[in-house]
Amino acid sequence: AEPEDRVAAAIALAASEEPGSRERIRIAADAIAEPKLRVAVAAASHDDEAALHSALDSLDEEHARTSPR
C-alpha cells in the first residue's frame, strides 16, 4: 500500500471507538522500516493533531523528494 493509504488507515482506526485500536496502531508502527512513515503512523495513535500534521508534512516532503518526476 502507498504510504498515504497506510497513514489514512491508521487515522481511521484511531478515530474508531474499537477497544485497543490505538495500541494496535502503535504495534503496527513499530514494525514499519521507513522512519518518516513510522512516525506518521504512530502519530495517528495519539490525540496530538499538530504532531500528526508535522509527521504528514515530513512524509509528503520525503515522497516528493524521492518520487520519479
Side-chain angles (χ1 to χ4, degrees), residues 1-2 4 8 11 14-15 18 21 25-28 32 34-36 38 41 46 48 68:
E2 291 294 318
E4 296 83 4
I11 291 169
E18 188 173 331
S21 61
I25 295 168
R26 283 191 290 273
I27 291 168
I32 297 173
E34 201 282 305
K36 292 184 182 200
R38 181 175 53 248
V41 171
H46 304 293
D48 186 349

Side-chain angles (χ1 to χ4, degrees), residues 21-66:
S21 61
R22 292 179 187 268
E23 179 63 21
R24 289 199 322 255
I25 295 168
R26 283 191 290 273
I27 291 168
D30 287 344
I32 297 173
E34 201 282 305
K36 292 184 182 200
L37 178 57
R38 181 175 53 248
V39 170
V41 171
S45 71
H46 304 293
D47 287 328
D48 186 349
E49 263 190 64
L52 178 58
H53 284 284
S54 176
L56 289 172
D57 288 343
S58 180
L59 185 61
D60 284 343
E61 290 169 8
E62 178 73 14
H63 184 71
R65 188 175 59 77
T66 60

